[in-house]
Amino acid sequence: MNRVPHGLAANPSLPASLVDRLIALADEDLASELAERGDLRHDQVVALAARDEHTARSLAFAGLLTAADVDPVARPLTALALLDTGAGRPEWARLLARHPVVRHREELASCAGLPDDVIEALAVDPALDVVHELAAFTPEPAMAARLARHPHAQVRRGVAVNEATPPAVLAALLTGEGLPAATACLVCDSKPIPYEHDPNCPDPDCTLFGGAACDGSHQSTVHDTLHGVLGNPATPPDVAARFVDHPSLLLRWSLAERPGLPPEVYARLARDPAPGVRAAVAGNPAVGDETLRTIAAGPDPAVRRALAHHPALPLDVLTTLAETTRLGSATLPRIAAASTDELRELAAGRPSVRALVAARHDLPPDLRDALAADPDAKVLRAVAPHPGLTEELLRAMVATHGAGVHARVAANPGAPGALLEELARQEPPVRRALREIAGHPNATAGALARCLGDPRAAEIAAAHPALSPSLLASLLTGPDEGLAEAAARNPALPREVMERLVP
């Protein structure tokens, strides 16, 4: 398969006349790539949409097609995309509500702004999937409340996740009070009960999920409904809190992620035997200091890592975590929110704490430069990509800590071309550094030539505008299709070469 046209389709320098030629020969894959271009004229959009309906659908979702461009009979999926974005026509909804393809009616049911008569038709659709989709997406509280009383448990499961469902109805789905019992579910629709579905079911046509079960109470669907309600922000917190000791791990986990619960509920969840539940509490912004300190004293490293990402974590707790837990290299929310005084105080701490500060790349210049001269390699790796560092400081890092900081120095947006070329010529090569250099705007032709020797850096380098013309030409005609495609994406590709590459 010739991948060069696919590279050209993504080339920002491709002339409009060649875009036209690519559209004329586009298959589904090529059309999909052309649809990502940001410079398409409207006539090109229409021509591209005519090549393939999946491409037309993506163009509709992107707002590039109008109702005047679409025939809902010939292109129902595209019409559905426009209806979903609010750009379709009401008569389309009425047409598609009677469409023989159930999947089309199901997708229609998830669209907002449907006419009342269409909503009513979908609510009594003979296909259960259509009614379930309406239950999950209708913006009308009255319709959600009505469907909560549907005799099929699967429809109620859809109501459970709909944020337009009235809080009182969500409470009723949790407690069962005030609602008639469901009379069916997907399990007892298709299997004699009692039945529990084998998670390793060998039947390729089976649509039941692993663990689906019904003994007449539709228990697996009811469980999923409870899970949906507990994850719904419209559910009354006081009713949700009743599930704090529920035997289901998934329900307690969902509860632990909710805001607005009483502090004593979070405190109990923080002592839950399941690490996943404790980790969910640890990352919940609604949890207060006392409970956070309780979690920090726990033994599980994964829970402590989750706690480190809490946006209001007390700094003394965070510094303790930094000493005992691997926290990664990302800027933590509490560090991102720290004041300048707090940052300076933390920067006077131990290396693991200084590295947390160094990961924030909007530091005051004097603090940034002080951390760039830190004797600890972990701190230098964190601060090295910081914008504004001088070439002198970057070279000092390399001289002091060698290959251990090469990749992070190469990631600095201000790293000069000469330094990048020196890093690229290191033997043995630092693979991570080559990948950073390959995409760096300051990379030189010599550095990029070295990057072509690394399997993961080569395709990045092939698309770099500073790559030498001779190397670029050799990649276009070489045996490696991936490199040829990447080279065709190169914005420095001469127009006459592009002309030769497009049939």
Side-chain angles (χ1 to χ4, degrees), residues 4 11 38 169-170 232 282 287 388 492:
V4 168
N11 192 318
V169 175
L170 292 169
N232 193 322
V287 175

Side-chain angles (χ1 to χ4, degrees), residues 221 417 450:
T221 309
R450 300 283 291 187

Side-chain angles (χ1 to χ4, degrees), residues 25-370:
L25 58 86
D27 59 10
E28 182 178 336
D29 287 342
L30 184 55
S32 178
E33 293 182 51
L34 285 164
E36 298 295 321
R37 295 187 65 87
D39 58 354
L40 295 173
R41 302 187 312 265
H42 185 255
D43 64 300
Q44 290 176 322
V45 169
V46 172
L48 194 54
R51 301 294 300 181
D52 168 66
E53 182 158 22
H54 292 289
T55 300
R57 184 174 168 81
S58 67
L59 292 167
F61 275 123
L64 298 177
L65 285 173
T66 68
D69 301 322
V70 177
D71 177 354
V73 176
R75 289 280 191 254
L77 291 176
T78 309
L80 283 165
L82 285 179
L83 283 168
D84 195 44
T85 62
R89 293 172 175 166
E91 59 267 27
W92 293 359
R94 295 186 176 94
L95 174 71
L96 292 166
R98 302 188 303 272
H99 201 283
V101 177
V102 172
R103 187 68 189 88
H104 293 353
R105 303 199 307 275
E106 184 181 346
E107 185 171 335
L108 177 66
S110 69
C111 296
L114 296 174
D116 291 344
D117 58 314
V118 172
I119 294 175
E120 187 61 37
L122 295 171
V124 295
D125 195 283
L128 183 67
D129 287 345
V130 175
V131 186
H132 170 268
E133 199 76 359
L134 181 68
F137 288 97
T138 179
E140 302 297 331
M143 178 56 72
R146 170 182 156 185
L147 293 177
R149 306 179 69 84
H150 196 281
H152 204 286
Q154 186 71 5
V155 174
R156 300 183 185 203
R157 181 184 177 189
V159 175
V161 299
N162 191 331
E163 295 182 20
T165 303
V169 175
L170 292 169
L173 287 171
L174 279 182
T175 64
E177 299 168 5
L179 289 178
T183 60
C185 70
L186 294 178
V187 180
C188 59
D189 279 350
S190 58
K191 303 290 182 181
I193 58 172
Y195 179 82
E196 184 169 345
H197 188 238
D198 182 357
N200 300 311
C201 176
D203 182 0
D205 297 323
C206 182
T207 57
L208 293 176
F209 62 89
C214 181
D215 58 8
S217 66
H218 323 299
Q219 64 264 36
S220 62
T221 309
V222 169
H223 178 275
D224 290 346
T225 300
L226 295 176
H227 187 251
V229 175
L230 289 175
N232 193 322
T235 300
D238 59 323
V239 183
R242 300 180 195 179
F243 287 75
V244 66
D245 294 317
H246 196 280
S248 167
L249 165 64
L250 286 178
L251 298 190
R252 300 196 311 277
W253 196 323
S254 185
L255 187 64
E257 295 173 336
R258 286 188 63 87
L261 298 176
E264 60 270 19
V265 173
Y266 292 126
R268 287 169 69 179
L269 291 167
R271 297 189 295 272
D272 195 279
V277 175
R278 299 198 303 275
V281 177
N284 190 327
V287 175
D289 283 8
E290 185 177 349
T291 300
L292 296 177
R293 292 182 186 278
T294 299
I295 296 170
D300 194 301
V303 176
R304 293 200 301 271
R305 278 193 289 274
L307 181 63
H309 287 81
H310 194 282
L313 189 66
L315 284 177
D316 65 301
V317 176
L318 181 55
T319 55
T320 301
L321 289 174
E323 292 296 306
T324 60
T325 311
R326 294 174 65 90
L327 301 181
S329 59
T331 304
L332 297 175
R334 182 63 182 90
I335 296 295
S339 68
T340 300
D341 288 343
E342 288 174 328
L343 291 171
R344 293 187 186 281
E345 181 181 348
L346 292 168
R350 296 176 64 82
S352 57
V353 179
R354 300 199 302 272
L356 295 181
V357 176
R360 181 169 157 175
H361 290 169
D362 61 347
L363 299 172
D366 64 312
L367 181 54
R368 173 202 66 203
D369 291 352

Side-chain angles (χ1 to χ4, degrees), residues 359-399:
R360 181 169 157 175
H361 290 169
D362 61 347
L363 299 172
D366 64 312
L367 181 54
R368 173 202 66 203
D369 291 352
L371 290 168
D374 198 282
D376 191 277
K378 183 178 181 180
V379 178
L380 291 188
R381 282 194 292 271
V383 78
H386 198 304
L389 289 176
T390 65
E391 180 179 357
E392 182 182 9
L393 283 170
L394 293 174
R395 287 186 175 278
M397 291 181 192
V398 172

Side-chain angles (χ1 to χ4, degrees), residues 436-465:
E436 294 289 353
I437 294 165
H440 200 291
N442 296 338
T444 63
L448 293 169
R450 300 283 291 187
C451 293
L452 291 174
D454 179 77
R456 292 178 63 184
E459 289 190 13
I460 306 171
H464 199 293

